[in-house]
Amino acid sequence: MEALLPGVVRRVLEGAAPQPRWLPRRLLTVVSVDLDAAAGVGAVRIVWRPKSARAREHLALLEWYDEQWQYVGGGIGPVDATADVDVIEVRSGGGALSLTRRDNPPQSINRALWISCVTVHLGQDVGHVLIGNRRINAPEQRKVVASWTSPYASRRARPVIVAFGRGGGEISRIGPHDGLDTHTWKRLGEEA
């Protein structure tokens, strides 16, 4: 992973497609990349052997540290092949302590930031989402990875995620601790 990620990051920062040209998609597919240069964090979602029954998904967390993008950590698990989502659904994610913990070891947990990421599944009517104050256009495969930082004490909270339709109007939102979005809550209320 540490050998692959610098090239992916470089391509994304240059505005190119994140998938390495020399690496066949049947072996590895870079599905989604989120780099927040202002916050100095990012996440990359990669699927190893996407067409195989043994396909595995890897979420990698990155941080701008010591004048370069560095791999902070991540996780591997089965590919989430969930079918359609109405509007927004937050799925797999993870987190890691920032590399800034190295700067002051006795106070590392109290002062270092927490880097988090989630995979957000989007419905067919979603044109783009706002994650915090960052806009991410809905990709064709309807899944985006999003990263952010927070103090260690509030690491379980994520930014508000707001989904907008293709016409630009808000169609749903999900709060920092919510499990369901407003569209789903409304639908459940109508069914009751």
Side-chain angles (χ1 to χ4, degrees):
M1 195 50 65
E2 290 183 46
L4 176 70
L5 290 174
V8 170
V9 169
R10 185 180 64 253
R11 282 188 291 283
V12 169
L13 292 174
E14 292 171 352
Q19 179 72 28
R21 292 180 191 218
W22 54 268
L23 190 58
R25 287 184 183 270
R26 65 179 157 53
L27 294 179
L28 175 138
T29 302
V30 178
V31 179
S32 182
V33 178
D34 177 39
L35 292 176
D36 185 351
V41 295
V44 178
R45 181 173 167 258
I46 296 170
V47 176
W48 298 95
R49 299 184 179 211
K51 304 275 185 199
S52 167
R54 298 183 307 188
R56 305 302 279 174
E57 179 176 282
H58 187 93
L59 281 174
L61 292 167
L62 304 165
E63 181 178 20
W64 181 258
Y65 181 79
D66 202 22
E67 300 301 316
Q68 62 183 341
W69 286 98
Q70 294 188 31
Y71 176 71
V72 178
I76 298 175
V79 174
D80 185 2
T82 306
D84 291 332
V85 169
D86 275 354
V87 181
I88 310 170
E89 200 167 301
V90 175
R91 290 293 180 91
S92 58
L97 197 57
S98 167
L99 294 172
T100 58
R101 71 184 183 278
R102 297 177 184 171
D103 296 339
N104 189 4
Q107 300 294 322
S108 64
I109 299 246
N110 296 332
R111 295 197 181 166
L113 292 176
W114 186 257
I115 301 169
S116 300
C117 75
V118 292
T119 301
V120 181
H121 294 230
L122 305 173
Q124 293 299 321
D125 296 334
V126 177
H128 71 277
V129 291
L130 284 181
I131 299 177
N133 61 356
R134 294 185 309 120
R135 177 185 168 137
I136 300 175
N137 291 327
E140 186 178 320
Q141 36 76 1
R142 314 309 295 168
K143 296 177 188 177
V144 297
V145 66
S147 60
W148 65 92
T149 61
S150 62
Y152 181 78
S154 58
R155 66 190 176 278
R156 299 203 190 282
R158 67 177 171 267
V160 173
I161 301 171
V162 183
F164 293 87
R166 297 183 193 286
E170 180 179 325
I171 54 178
S172 191
R173 68 178 45 225
I174 188 165
H177 300 284
D178 296 340
L180 296 174
D181 64 302
T182 56
H183 171 81
T184 303
W185 278 116
K186 183 179 176 185
R187 195 185 72 210
L188 290 172
E190 292 169 353
E191 291 175 3

